[in-house]
Amino acid sequence: MLNSILSRLESVKERFLFLEKELSNSEIVNNHQTFASYSKEYSSLKKIVDKFEEYKKNSENFSSTKLLLDDSDPEIKSLAQDELIIISEKLKKNEDEVKKLLIPENEDDEKDVFLEIRAGTGGDEAGLFVGDLFRMFTRVTERKKWKIELISSRESEKGGFKEVVAKISGKQVYRFLKFESGVHRVQRVPDTESQGRVHTSACSVAILPEIEELDLIEIDKSEIRVDTFRASGAGGQHVNKTDSAVRLTHIPTGLVVECQDGRSQHKNKAKAMTLMQTKLMERANNEQNEKQDSKRKDMVGSGDRSEKIRTYNFPQNRITDHRIEYSIHSLEAFLDGDMDEMIETLIEENQARLLSQLEENFK
């Protein structure tokens, strides 16, 4: 292991011992906010320190066993050689575990998300594909026992949607779905195609982590225009009687969000405001990220919505993720929400990239 990483681990251990001492300090215990913050950090650092101590113990065993190679007894030398192989494997495993723990956790991984799917090139076929993807994400939520709430939708003329916005809630939703942001492309023969030619259509997907209440950015009410209208789509006679749907426009940026899911105009406005705050936060973060683009690369690909990330090829029964050049030949199951293999591969590739960056930063 690099000396710079070992030095970093010693610093982590010092901080851990400091926190351990402070958590028995009555002044800290009585300060609930500080105590909670220290406890959370202590718990996080304990995982690293435990693995580091295990690494140091195996490292000491390796050094003492290596001395036995100079022993005059051939049997002892042979046993030492066998033992060194075992200890080396343990050390390699310890090193990998410690490095992974040194990678900062993404605080957004536990958050709920807003899902946005919008039709792109391809006309009616793109709208149908939006419907396919929305069903795919809905099936994922069912498999994961998450909850999905439709925020707004605009249906296309021949089925499907021009756009769909929904909220997905559950355990580690953002961790699982964060790599879905980008352009999804479909290649298939449309039902209206008499010549059997394959058409290519696309739509954009955005996965936005819901911001915490403490992180909500203040919005000047004078900068928000509120419009109410009658909801469209399913909902029975009610949707034709009251203007329960809400559209918010942030005048300075031109951002527009809608919510037409609930019957309560008040609840729809509250949901729309949360989505607006999330989108404004994303906008601010994107601007900051663009200024620090050389330091960014903390995801597989850039995550930019203009980037083609995946192709769904129906004639070949194939889904290919272009960021990692990984293909799966079970398109029907994938569109039915069986995405685990692809998602876990993306997570592993991202972890490998972050590990590589960690080592580069410590050189």
Side-chain angles (χ1 to χ4, degrees):
M1 195 181 297
L2 292 170
N3 288 332
S4 53
I5 294 181
L6 291 172
S7 177
R8 168 65 177 152
L9 289 167
E10 291 292 354
S11 299
V12 168
K13 185 178 178 180
E14 286 179 18
R15 175 65 179 172
F16 173 78
L17 294 174
F18 166 79
L19 291 171
E20 192 171 53
K21 184 178 179 181
E22 287 295 287
L23 286 171
S24 62
N25 184 330
S26 59
E27 291 185 10
I28 299 296
V29 172
N30 293 328
N31 186 324
H32 299 302
Q33 188 173 357
T34 303
F35 183 78
S37 175
Y38 278 12
S39 296
K40 184 177 180 181
E41 186 181 358
Y42 176 85
S43 177
S44 176
L45 295 184
K46 188 177 188 306
K47 299 174 188 175
I48 301 175
V49 172
D50 286 348
K51 286 298 176 183
F52 181 41
E53 289 300 311
E54 189 177 335
Y55 174 84
K56 289 200 295 184
K57 181 180 178 181
N58 283 322
S59 184
E60 290 169 2
N61 287 342
F62 184 88
S63 298
S64 59
T65 304
K66 194 174 181 181
L67 295 174
L68 297 176
L69 293 178
D70 297 328
D71 198 280
S72 56
D73 187 333
E75 188 174 345
I76 291 178
K77 285 179 68 173
S78 178
L79 289 172
Q81 287 173 338
D82 293 341
E83 187 66 20
L84 283 174
I85 293 173
I86 296 172
I87 298 174
S88 294
E89 291 175 353
K90 289 181 179 179
L91 277 172
K92 181 65 173 70
K93 183 182 178 183
N94 287 155
E95 185 174 344
D96 290 342
E97 290 170 337
V98 168
K99 285 178 181 177
K100 286 181 180 179
L101 289 171
L102 279 176
I103 297 172
E105 292 183 3
N106 187 331
E107 294 181 356
D108 290 337
D109 278 355
E110 296 291 336
K111 292 182 179 178
D112 299 336
V113 306
F114 286 104
L115 162 70
E116 298 182 348
I117 315 174
R118 290 186 171 83
T121 56
D124 294 331
E125 181 64 16
L128 292 171
F129 187 44
V130 171
D132 291 338
L133 289 183
F134 182 57
R135 180 184 178 278
M136 178 182 79
F137 288 118
T138 300
R139 290 289 293 123
V140 169
T141 64
E142 292 170 1
R143 289 169 179 265
K144 298 292 183 184
K145 293 182 170 51
W146 295 337
K147 178 183 177 183
I148 187 167
E149 300 174 75
L150 182 67
I151 301 296
S152 66
S153 64
R154 287 194 298 134
E155 295 180 1
S156 56
E157 294 177 3
K158 296 186 178 180
F161 301 89
K162 292 179 180 178
E163 69 172 29
V164 176
V165 180
K167 181 181 177 182
I168 302 177
S169 311
K171 185 177 180 182
Q172 292 195 320
V173 177
Y174 185 70
R175 176 186 179 273
F176 191 85
L177 295 179
K178 61 186 174 184
F179 299 119
E180 293 303 295
S181 289
V183 172
H184 294 238
R185 187 178 68 169
V186 61
Q187 295 175 323
R188 62 185 173 189
V189 180
D191 292 337
T192 55
E193 171 56 57
S194 58
Q195 302 297 320
R197 291 173 297 186
V198 174
H199 288 225
T200 299
S201 306
C203 62
S204 65
V205 173
I207 302 292
L208 311 177
E210 184 181 26
I211 56 178
E212 301 288 346
E213 195 169 327
L214 293 173
D215 299 329
L216 290 177
I217 56 179
E218 292 293 329
I219 301 178
D220 189 336
K221 291 183 179 179
S222 66
E223 295 179 343
I224 295 288
R225 185 175 72 244
V226 181
D227 298 306
T228 58
F229 58 99
R230 293 179 184 177
S232 61
Q237 295 181 351
H238 168 79
V239 296
N240 298 318
K241 290 184 177 180
T242 60
D243 293 343
S244 61
V246 175
R247 179 185 298 112
L248 301 183
T249 304
H250 186 245
I251 298 170
T253 61
L255 282 174
V256 178
V257 299
E258 294 179 1
C259 184
Q260 59 188 51
D261 182 41
R263 295 191 171 195
S264 164
Q265 186 183 110
H266 176 73
K267 289 182 179 179
N268 280 341
K269 184 178 178 181
K271 284 183 181 179
M273 184 60 76
T274 301
L275 177 56
M276 175 66 78
Q277 288 173 313
T278 297
K279 290 174 76 69
L280 286 171
M281 180 69 78
E282 182 210 21
R283 185 188 181 99
N285 288 339
N286 284 345
E287 289 175 355
Q288 183 179 3
N289 285 338
E290 285 172 10
K291 293 176 183 177
Q292 300 176 340
D293 195 48
S294 61
K295 299 178 183 178
R296 199 171 171 194
K297 302 302 180 184
D298 59 344
M299 289 178 64
V300 176
S302 67
D304 191 286
R305 292 188 208 175
S306 64
E307 180 185 349
K308 178 186 70 178
I309 64 165
R310 190 176 298 146
T311 295
Y312 302 71
N313 188 304
F314 275 71
Q316 297 179 14
N317 188 36
R318 169 176 55 82
I319 312 101
T320 298
D321 197 290
H322 303 290
R323 294 163 295 183
I324 56 176
E325 293 304 321
Y326 187 79
S327 295
I328 295 174
H329 291 83
S330 54
L331 195 147
E332 185 177 343
F334 193 90
L335 287 174
D336 194 47
D338 186 7
M339 302 171 64
D340 287 57
E341 180 183 340
M342 180 70 78
I343 297 298
E344 292 304 327
T345 303
L346 283 162
I347 291 173
E348 288 173 10
E349 288 288 335
N350 186 55
Q351 190 100 46
R353 176 177 293 195
L354 292 176
L355 279 172
S356 178
Q357 288 178 359
L358 176 73
E359 292 170 348
E360 285 296 321
N361 292 336
F362 277 103
K363 282 183 179 178

